Amino acid sequence: MNRLIDGYQTTTLVYAALGLGLPEHMGAAPCTAQELASATGAPPGRLFRLLRALAAIGICEELPDASFALSQAGQQLRADSGSGLREKAILAVEHYWPAWAAFEHCVTREQTAFAAAFGMTPWEYRRDHPRLGEAFNTWLAAETRANCASVVAAIDVARTSRVADIGGGNGGLLRALLLAHPHLSGVLFDQPHVIRQAAASFGEEFGSHRVQFAGGDFFAQVPVQAELYLLKSVVHDWDDADAVRILRNCRAAMPAHARLALIERVLPERAVQAPATIMVDAQMMAITGGRERGLGEFERLLRHGGLALRGVTHTAAGFAIIEALAP
Ligand SMILES: C[S@@+](CC[C@H](N)C(=O)[O-])C[C@H]1O[C@@H](n2cnc3c(N)ncnc32)[C@H](O)[C@@H]1O
């Protein structure tokens, strides 16, 4: 219980280390508090105490000569690690923490804890705070990269030439699909400011004949044509009414014989069977007002969106591919 209650200390120690740039300053070779003091401008005595606290939680190792080296876990906080965990730690403190401090609010009232803390939705907040918006997209893209291999392997595109990644963020899934299937072209659809960042990060990796970018609002219209529409971790951000609106707009855009696949975690019967999914559900309740769902609930959403469930494939990464057709 003590360890659970003290979780805030771990989160803020990581955040302080990032604020001082320690993971970047601590290169491959061990360094002393004195050396890091010169690099960061922090007083060496207090920096030493911070480094020892970081050693106590496993972010770095304290060596016998009183120098410190980043641990394997600590290495993941470096910007060049590609883990997205640096960005996640920044979001944890600056974006999610104030909302989670008001968690009780979203249990007792019809409002998210995020709205209680910030007076707006997280989408609006990140649009107005581009640094956090970029951190969010980078973190999600890294997560998607890390766990999309089994998703990509399970998506059947043998007879598909064009896919649309709706609410695709930085395009991590689309990129992986295009790399795995040279015959495929794709379109990434998301909010205009997200698409601008994604288009820049894709660079010249694929020519414009293989990837296009479309910015818009999926509550207004989904103005993209494809044979397969993918929505990964999109409907879990929304309550049923909003999720159905998104699906109906996809349905309206879908040509005859097109498919749509939700890529989502599926709620277990009991929390102990998939605790990570249960924690994502709590995050959705606090932050977006969305929810994780069971298979029956996905089937109902699809039906109300004008789609018919075709099949479900579970993947090793814990995501299910819930495929539907326009009847
Ligand atoms: C949880 S993220 C999922 C991103 C990506 N599919 C992934 O799994 O990494 C949800 C995405 O929905 C996008 N989104 C939110 N509201 C939107 C809207 N009104 N129109 C289009 N996209 C929207 C967000 O910008 C974000 O990229």
Side-chain angles (χ1 to χ4, degrees):
M1 195 63 218
N2 262 318
R3 196 169 48 79
L4 291 178
I5 292 170
D6 290 342
Y8 70 97
Q9 296 178 343
T10 317
T11 309
T12 41
L13 281 173
V14 169
Y15 184 69
L18 290 172
L20 288 162
L22 294 182
E24 308 304 324
H25 291 308
M26 297 172 79
C31 37
T32 62
Q34 190 67 49
E35 287 162 341
L36 288 168
S38 312
T40 60
R46 292 181 191 206
L47 197 52
F48 178 75
R49 291 167 69 189
L50 169 62
L51 287 162
R52 295 250 286 188
L54 291 171
I57 62 169
I59 302 299
C60 60
E61 285 161 35
E62 184 183 17
L63 303 172
D65 64 355
S67 65
F68 294 87
L70 275 182
S71 66
Q72 224 175 357
Q75 300 278 356
Q76 296 183 64
L77 294 173
R78 291 175 60 94
D80 63 7
S81 73
S83 71
L85 292 176
R86 177 181 174 280
E87 287 76 15
K88 182 178 182 178
I90 291 168
L91 289 163
V93 171
E94 296 183 22
H95 198 43
Y96 296 135
W97 188 305
W100 274 73
F103 195 94
E104 193 183 325
H105 189 98
C106 69
V107 180
T108 55
R109 297 179 218 182
E110 285 285 325
Q111 190 191 30
T112 62
F114 192 92
F118 290 100
M120 60 177 84
T121 69
W123 316 109
E124 291 163 340
Y125 192 83
R126 290 196 294 268
R127 183 197 58 210
D128 297 347
H129 297 79
R131 191 175 63 85
L132 290 182
E134 272 185 39
F136 179 79
N137 293 325
T138 304
W139 164 46
L140 279 194
E143 275 218 331
T144 298
R145 250 196 326 275
N147 60 29
C148 76
S150 60
V151 171
V152 167
I155 298 176
D156 176 11
V157 289
R159 284 175 297 282
T160 302
S161 58
R162 185 168 165 80
V163 298
D165 192 0
I166 307 299
N170 255 6
L173 175 63
L174 183 62
R175 179 186 276 116
L177 264 174
L178 295 183
L179 285 172
H181 302 286
H183 74 278
L184 213 56
S185 72
V187 53
L188 185 68
F189 177 80
D190 206 293
Q191 301 179 90
H193 64 280
V194 176
I195 285 297
R196 275 193 292 280
Q197 194 200 339
S201 81
F202 260 71
E204 297 303 312
E205 196 175 349
F206 303 98
S208 58
H209 63 292
R210 288 208 64 205
V211 61
Q212 282 105 45
F213 301 93
D217 173 5
F218 50 41
F219 290 112
Q221 197 189 4
V222 175
V224 296
Q225 294 280 295
E227 294 156 77
L228 173 61
Y229 291 70
L230 302 172
L231 290 91
K232 178 176 169 292
S233 305
V234 170
V235 299
H236 85 149
D237 282 333
W238 306 97
D239 66 19
D240 287 359
D242 282 338
V244 166
R245 282 170 65 201
I246 298 168
L247 291 175
R248 286 205 178 134
N249 283 341
C250 289
R251 169 72 185 86
M254 286 166 74
H257 311 301
R259 294 175 290 151
L260 178 145
L262 303 176
I263 301 165
E264 296 279 353
R265 297 176 181 85
V266 177
L267 272 181
E269 281 190 13
R270 298 178 59 236
V272 72
Q273 294 167 323
T277 300
I278 300 298
M279 291 308 287
V280 177
D281 186 54
Q283 172 82 338
M284 292 303 115
M285 184 154 83
I287 306 298
T288 65
R291 59 185 310 130
E292 300 305 295
R293 294 176 171 92
L295 278 181
E297 292 169 302
F298 283 121
E299 197 275 332
R300 201 166 50 243
L301 275 192
L302 289 165
R303 192 159 21 87
H304 290 160
L307 296 151
L309 182 69
R310 184 194 191 205
V312 180
T313 310
H314 294 276
T315 71
F319 283 89
I321 299 168
I322 304 158
E323 200 178 312
L325 291 173

